[in-house]
Structures are given as structure tokens and as C-alpha cells.
Amino acid sequence: MESTSTTRQGWMSVLAHSQPAELLAHWQQLNLSPAYQVIRAPEIGLNQLQARMGATGRRFILGDMTITRAVIKLNNSADIYGYSYIAGRNKPHAELCALLDALLQMSTLNNKPAGLSELLLKTVIYPLAAVQQERRQLRARAIASSKVDFFTLVRGED
């Protein structure tokens, strides 16, 4: 779990799937207040969801989903931008996700986690990833308990 969470794709996924209250609780433990400027203020929009029947059929529009996106830039860095796209309508959550993305990028410029990055990974990303993994396992168990195996009995020809 830790190796997938140390890549940008990994931590972006953890942040996007995080619950706002849980993320805020982990962030507040650090008592950090980095200076940043908002490039794209958190804004709410719709994303059209497409699906395929049986994963191979023709595409169809499943529906719309509300998303919130934000972009920030750290003040003490040349060109490090933090991005976030989250499901729902929580603007502070989207801004915090973008800030964490930027801080993690800044700390991992040489593909090696440095001091702040290690702190963010251990305090925020890994605990959230563990909670998300536990939720997925609980859901998988609940689904598996209701699974029905269908089989066909073949009658003999008399």
C-alpha cells in the first residue's frame, strides 16, 4: 500500500477518495500553514459519466456527477502547482487536496521523499489509504456474502 501511495497518481487517488472530515483531522495534526496562492478557486461543475454494457458494448451516458476542482501554486516555489478533482460539492476539501498535492510534489522533486514529504505521507496519506482499503474490504465482504452461484442441472435423456 505504501509504495502505491508514494507516487503522484497514488496520493492523488487517496486524496480524491478521502472523506473531508478525516482529511482535515489528519492535516490539522501537523499544524502547518504554508503560503500559497489560488490559481483557480474551487469551482463546482458537472462531469458526464459514460459506461458500456458488459464493458464491451456501445457507450451510453450513465448520468452526471457533481465534481469540485481547484488549482493552487506554492509561494516559495518556481513552478509547483497543486491540482484536485473531487466528487461532490466541498470547496474547502478540494482546496486542501490541491495544497497537499503541491506540497508532496515540492518535497519529491528528485523522486525521493524528503522531510516534509515523508511527514505528509506518514501522517496523512498512509492513514487515509489504510482506512480506504479497510472500507473496500468490508464492502467486498458484504457483497460476497450476498453472492449467488447459478448453475444448470442437465437432465439425462431417458
Side-chain angles (χ1 to χ4, degrees), residues 40-104:
R40 182 180 299 259
E43 55 189 5
I44 298 168
L46 286 177
N47 191 18
Q48 197 171 57
L49 302 177
Q50 296 182 5
R52 291 179 188 267
M53 189 64 79
T56 58
R58 292 179 49 152
R59 284 188 207 182
F60 64 93
I61 304 302
L62 183 64
D64 293 329
M65 176 179 160
T66 306
I67 62 167
T68 307
R69 67 179 180 177
V71 181
I72 64 104
K73 180 180 186 264
L74 293 177
N75 285 347
N76 61 353
S77 67
D79 287 325
I80 296 183
Y81 294 87
Y83 297 86
S84 71
Y85 283 83
I86 62 163
R89 305 173 59 92
N90 193 326
K91 290 181 179 182
H93 184 221
E95 190 170 326
L96 181 56
C97 289
L99 176 60
L100 283 164
D101 176 45
L103 290 172
L104 284 161

Side-chain angles (χ1 to χ4, degrees), residues 3 6 10 14-15 25-26 29 55 61 66 82-83 90 92 105 127 134:
S3 62
T6 57
V14 170
L15 291 171
H26 288 292
Q29 288 177 5
I61 304 302
T66 306
Y83 297 86
N90 193 326
Q105 285 180 70
E134 183 179 332

Side-chain angles (χ1 to χ4, degrees), residues 12-155:
M12 292 287 285
S13 175
V14 170
L15 291 171
H17 291 96
S18 65
Q19 296 297 316
E22 292 173 353
L23 178 61
L24 190 59
H26 288 292
W27 170 249
Q28 287 175 340
Q29 288 177 5
L30 297 172
N31 201 23
L32 297 174
S33 56
Y36 65 94
Q37 51 183 273
V38 176
I39 302 299
R40 182 180 299 259
E43 55 189 5
I44 298 168
L46 286 177
N47 191 18
Q48 197 171 57
L49 302 177
Q50 296 182 5
R52 291 179 188 267
M53 189 64 79
T56 58
R58 292 179 49 152
R59 284 188 207 182
F60 64 93
I61 304 302
L62 183 64
D64 293 329
M65 176 179 160
T66 306
I67 62 167
T68 307
R69 67 179 180 177
V71 181
I72 64 104
K73 180 180 186 264
L74 293 177
N75 285 347
N76 61 353
S77 67
D79 287 325
I80 296 183
Y81 294 87
Y83 297 86
S84 71
Y85 283 83
I86 62 163
R89 305 173 59 92
N90 193 326
K91 290 181 179 182
H93 184 221
E95 190 170 326
L96 181 56
C97 289
L99 176 60
L100 283 164
D101 176 45
L103 290 172
L104 284 161
Q105 285 180 70
M106 182 182 75
S107 301
T108 58
L109 285 177
N110 300 329
N111 291 331
K112 289 185 190 175
L116 178 61
S117 177
E118 295 235 356
L119 179 66
L120 290 172
L121 289 171
K122 288 180 182 175
T123 310
V124 179
I125 303 298
Y126 295 156
L128 289 174
V131 168
Q132 291 170 11
Q133 181 64 29
E134 183 179 332
R135 282 191 187 124
R136 278 193 288 277
Q137 289 173 347
L138 286 172
R139 186 163 188 262
R141 275 191 237 126
I143 291 169
S145 69
S146 65
K147 182 179 176 184
V148 177
D149 289 325
F150 293 96
F151 60 93
T152 304
L153 292 175
V154 179
R155 288 182 156 177

